[in-house]
């Protein structure tokens, strides 16, 4: 997968896995990572699927309707890619925290729905329910920050609530932040995500 790796100065911090939204690339979330944890290593990845020329992490049949078979395939592909990159760049595979926005948040959620050790934690910004009707693995070792907008036209609040509830049921430690916002990222939610990151990984 196309990617960028930047080694951080503090190797005890988790490596941040950056997963962009539809039409983005491996560099999109670098400024967000820099705000959240400037000393952490980062692995920015570009989705392998193109929709009208726009990179995504998995195919969809319509807006909000996912191609489940492709989602499963791409989730496995990304999980293996992270392991390969951990070998290549010598970071701890068991200490990876995803920062995903929109489509990137959805594949980060999918990683956790399928594998209980894919991610140590995740910052899911404007995320949806990746799949329904499957048993989510035990996520008692996983901490998750969910940032959402109460007026998001793409992601109904009820859907983000459903995601949070499913992750809690799987025993994940879930922190929710609801802003008076739409689908765009807000400075406020990044500040909250930074506080969450520092509480969980630097103290
Ligand atoms: C998706 O397809 O993952 C969601 O609809 C979010 C997006 O627009 O990328």
């Amino acid at each position: 997968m196309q990617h960028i790796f930047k080694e951080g100065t503090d190797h005890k911090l988790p490596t941040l896995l950056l997963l962009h939204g539809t039409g983005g690339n491996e560099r999109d979330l670098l400024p967000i990572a820099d705000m959240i944890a400037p000393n952490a290593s980062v692995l920015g990845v570009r989705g392998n699927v193109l929709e009208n020329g726009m990179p995504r992490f998995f195919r969809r049949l319509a807006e909000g309707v996912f191609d489940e078979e492709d989602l499963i395939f791409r989730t496995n592909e990304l999980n293996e890619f992270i392991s390969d990159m951990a070998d290549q760049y010598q970071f701890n595979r068991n200490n990876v925290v995803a920062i995903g926005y929109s489509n990137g948040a959805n594949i980060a959620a999918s990683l956790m729905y399928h594998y209980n050790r894919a991610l140590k934690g995740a910052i899911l910004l404007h995320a949806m329910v990746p799949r329904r009707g499957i048993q989510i693995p035990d996520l008692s070792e996983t901490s998750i920050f969910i940032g959402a907008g109460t007026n998001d036209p793409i992601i109904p609040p009820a859907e983000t609530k459903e995601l949070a509830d499913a992750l809690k049921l799987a025993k994940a430690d879930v922190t929710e932040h609801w802003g008076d916002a739409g689908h765009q990222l807000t400075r406020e939610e990044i500040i909250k995500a930074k506080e969450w990151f520092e509480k969980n990984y630097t103290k």
Side-chain angles (χ1 to χ4, degrees), residues 21-22 56 58 60 62-64 66 102-103 106 128 154-155 183:
T22 300
R56 286 177 53 85
F58 55 89
R60 61 180 163 182
E63 187 165 302
F66 302 155
S102 194
N103 182 245
N106 296 343
M128 298 171 74
I154 295 178
I155 300 162
H183 197 57

Side-chain angles (χ1 to χ4, degrees), residues 79-90:
N79 193 36
E80 289 185 356
F81 179 76
I82 304 165
S83 300
D84 291 348
M85 293 302 98
D87 288 342
Q88 184 171 327
Y89 296 115
Q90 296 288 299

Side-chain angles (χ1 to χ4, degrees), residues 7 18 64 82 84 92 111 121 130 176 193:
E7 188 175 347
L18 310 183
I82 304 165
D84 291 348
N92 181 353
L111 279 170
E176 291 171 55

Side-chain angles (χ1 to χ4, degrees), residues 4-8 14-18 30 33-34 37 40-44:
I4 176 171
F5 181 77
K6 283 175 56 185
E7 188 175 347
T15 294
L16 300 176
L17 171 72
L18 310 183
L30 288 174
D34 198 48
S41 294
V42 291
L43 175 66

Side-chain angles (χ1 to χ4, degrees), residues 22-33:
T22 300
N25 65 43
E26 64 277 19
R27 296 181 162 268
D28 275 15
L29 298 178
L30 288 174
I32 305 284

